[in-house]
C-alpha cells in the first residue's frame, strides 16, 4: 500500500504551493503542508530505542534510511489505540531531518490558499495539541487545523 504523495495530488496542477495533506487523529482532522511529505506507508515493525520521549515509538528502515517514528496521538496527549487497517505512517522531511508520523487515517490532499489562512488566537496556544498548530484554514465554510511541522518534529520541546 505504499503511496507516493504525488499520486494523491489533484491532476489539475503539479504545484505543492498551498497544498496540505489532511489526516485524522481521533475525531479531529489536521493538515500539514504537502512539501514536507515524502510518502505515506503502511505501518511496519518498529525497533524500539531506549531513553527516547514516549511519543517516539521506535525506528524503521525505509529503503536504507533509518527514520524515527512518532505516534501523533501520544504527542497530542491522547491515549494509545490499536492500529487499524486505516493507520499509516506519513514520512516527513524537514530540512534534511526525517520523521515518520503514525496517524489514524490519511484523508486527502487539500488546497488552502494563503488568503484563507488565519493565525490562532494567542490564548489557545497553550493547550497540548494546540501548541503544534500554525494556523487555521477556512475550508468549505468550516475550519481546518494546520500543523506547524517545526514544532511537531521538535522532540526536545
Amino acid at each position: 500500500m505504499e503511496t507516493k504523495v504525488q499520486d494523491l495530488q489533484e491532476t489539475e496542477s503539479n504545484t505543492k504551493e498551498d497544498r496540505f495533506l489532511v489526516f485524522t487523529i481521533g475525531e479531529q482532522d489536521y493538515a500539514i503542508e504537502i512539501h514536507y511529505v515524502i510518502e505515506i506507508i503502511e505501518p511496519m515493525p518498529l525497533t524500539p530505542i531506549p531513553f527516547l520521549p514516549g511519543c517516539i515509538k521506535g525506528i524503521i528502515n525505509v529503503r536504507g534510511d533509518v527514520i524515527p517514528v512518532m505516534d501523533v496521538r501520544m504527542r497530542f496527549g491522547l491515549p494509545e489505540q490499536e492500529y487499524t487497517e486505516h493507520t499509516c505512517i506519513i514520512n516527513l522531511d524537514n530540512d534534511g531531518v526525517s520523521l515518520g508520523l503514525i496517524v489514524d487515517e490519511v484523508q486527502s490532499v487539500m488546497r488552502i490558499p494563503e488568503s484563507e489562512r488565519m493565525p490562532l488566537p494567542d490564548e489557545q496556544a497553550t493547550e497540548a495539541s494546540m501548541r503544534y498548530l500554525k494556523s487555521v484554514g477556512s475550508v468549505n465554510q468550516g475550519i481546518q487545523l494546520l500543523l506547524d511541522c517545526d514544532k511537531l518534529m521538535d522532540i526536545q520541546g
Side-chain angles (χ1 to χ4, degrees):
M1 177 188 134
E2 188 171 307
T3 305
K4 295 286 184 187
V5 170
Q6 290 80 7
D7 294 340
L8 298 174
Q9 292 182 338
E10 297 169 354
T11 56
E12 67 193 39
S13 173
N14 289 335
T15 182
K16 293 182 179 183
E17 184 176 333
D18 296 334
R19 297 211 184 265
F20 292 80
L21 180 68
V22 179
F23 59 89
T24 303
I25 300 294
E27 299 295 317
Q28 181 65 55
D29 286 348
Y30 295 91
I32 196 160
E33 293 170 89
I34 197 79
H35 67 87
Y36 292 113
V37 179
I38 303 301
E39 62 190 336
I40 300 164
I41 55 178
E42 289 183 338
M44 58 180 62
L46 299 167
T47 302
I49 302 291
F51 309 113
L52 287 178
C55 63
I56 303 296
K57 301 298 286 182
I59 56 174
I60 58 174
N61 184 330
V62 179
R63 290 178 300 287
D65 292 327
V66 176
I67 300 168
V69 177
M70 172 191 293
D71 188 318
V72 180
R73 288 180 141 276
M74 295 178 72
R75 180 70 159 173
F76 289 173
L78 298 172
E80 276 190 86
Q81 153 176 313
E82 296 242 355
Y83 299 155
T84 70
E85 68 274 5
H86 300 290
T87 303
C88 56
I89 298 173
I90 302 171
N91 185 5
L92 302 178
D93 180 86
N94 186 2
D95 291 328
V97 176
S98 295
L99 180 69
L101 301 179
I102 299 172
V103 300
D104 294 348
E105 185 173 8
V106 169
Q107 298 295 329
S108 64
V109 173
M110 176 182 292
R111 184 174 180 274
I112 306 173
E114 182 73 38
S115 62
E116 298 296 318
R117 294 181 232 160
M118 300 155 280
L120 293 172
D122 288 336
E123 62 272 7
Q124 293 182 355
T126 57
E127 289 186 43
S129 63
M130 297 295 279
R131 74 175 146 212
Y132 303 114
L133 297 180
K134 186 175 199 172
S135 59
V136 294
S138 176
V139 179
N140 299 328
Q141 299 179 7
I143 297 291
Q144 183 64 60
L145 302 176
L146 309 177
L147 291 172
D148 185 321
C149 193
D150 291 326
K151 289 179 183 175
L152 186 64
M153 291 180 71
D154 180 11
I155 61 172
Q156 305 302 318

